[in-house]
Amino acid sequence: MMDGLVKGVRWLLMVTRTLSGICLLASVAINFVNIIGRYFFSVSIPWAEEIMLFLMVGCVFTGCCAVAWEGRQIRMDVVVTMLPDKVRDFFALLSELVMIATAAAVTAFAWPVIVQLADFDERSQAANFPLVIPQAMIPIGYSLMALLVAVRLMRRPSRAPGADASQH
């Protein structure tokens, strides 16, 4: 079962990395075209800044999945690294559980806002783009991060007492 789950995670990571890359490339392309238009033709794209911002939101909240799977989140662990192995392992697990709880809270609080944006068909000012799409990227990204951290914790090998800390 765990092998199938890991295959699913690999597929999900491929999809999210691809989406993140597409969002980044599209943002760079829009910025490039806007710069060329502005400096060579004295015409700028009125919706470019909004769409680039939405693409950056998409890039960050799809790209964060790979970070969560690899456990490379930003951590304030200067003191924790100096602690004994068992205490360090406890804080590492606590950190992962807090991340999952935070992701669940963000998703729960964001969902009513997203439903309202969809119900009222709220749109951006310059691009007339549905705001539900970039706003939905936040809870989607957090939910996927929580899922990936949970799977990573499930497949984490339990360490035998006295095992070397470099094994995990």
Side-chain angles (χ1 to χ4, degrees):
M1 180 178 134
M2 190 56 74
D3 289 338
L5 199 54
V6 171
K7 282 182 184 180
V9 164
R10 287 191 183 128
W11 178 84
L12 178 64
L13 289 173
M14 181 197 63
V15 169
T16 57
R17 284 179 174 144
T18 301
L19 287 173
S20 184
I22 289 169
C23 287
L24 183 61
L25 288 173
S27 181
V28 169
I30 290 170
N31 194 27
F32 180 75
V33 169
N34 201 26
I35 289 170
I36 297 298
R38 186 179 307 138
Y39 290 108
F40 292 106
F41 303 109
S42 298
V43 177
S44 64
I45 304 170
W47 48 262
E49 297 295 325
E50 266 185 9
I51 296 299
M52 285 189 306
L53 177 66
F54 297 154
L55 287 167
M56 281 296 121
V57 169
C59 180
V60 168
F61 286 99
T62 54
C64 66
C65 296
V67 173
W69 176 249
E70 295 169 6
R72 294 178 167 248
Q73 304 91 298
I74 294 175
R75 298 172 193 228
M76 303 299 169
D77 61 354
V78 173
V79 175
V80 173
T81 57
M82 294 185 280
L83 296 173
D85 285 346
K86 286 186 179 186
V87 177
R88 189 175 338 133
D89 289 346
F90 168 76
F91 279 114
L93 178 62
L94 180 65
S95 171
E96 303 287 21
L97 294 175
V98 167
M99 193 284 174
I100 292 170
T102 302
V106 167
T107 301
F109 287 123
W111 192 251
V113 173
I114 292 177
V115 169
Q116 284 183 340
L117 287 171
D119 287 346
F120 295 131
D121 192 30
E122 290 288 324
R123 295 183 169 270
S124 65
Q125 290 181 347
N128 196 32
F129 190 79
L131 289 176
V132 70
I133 296 170
Q135 289 293 332
M137 293 307 300
I138 297 167
I140 289 170
Y142 269 106
S143 296
L144 291 175
M145 281 193 304
L147 173 72
L148 292 169
V149 169
V151 171
R152 185 165 43 84
L153 286 176
M154 286 189 318
R155 68 185 288 257
R156 179 187 209 182
S158 59
R159 290 192 355 185
D164 184 28
S166 64
Q167 291 177 344
H168 67 141

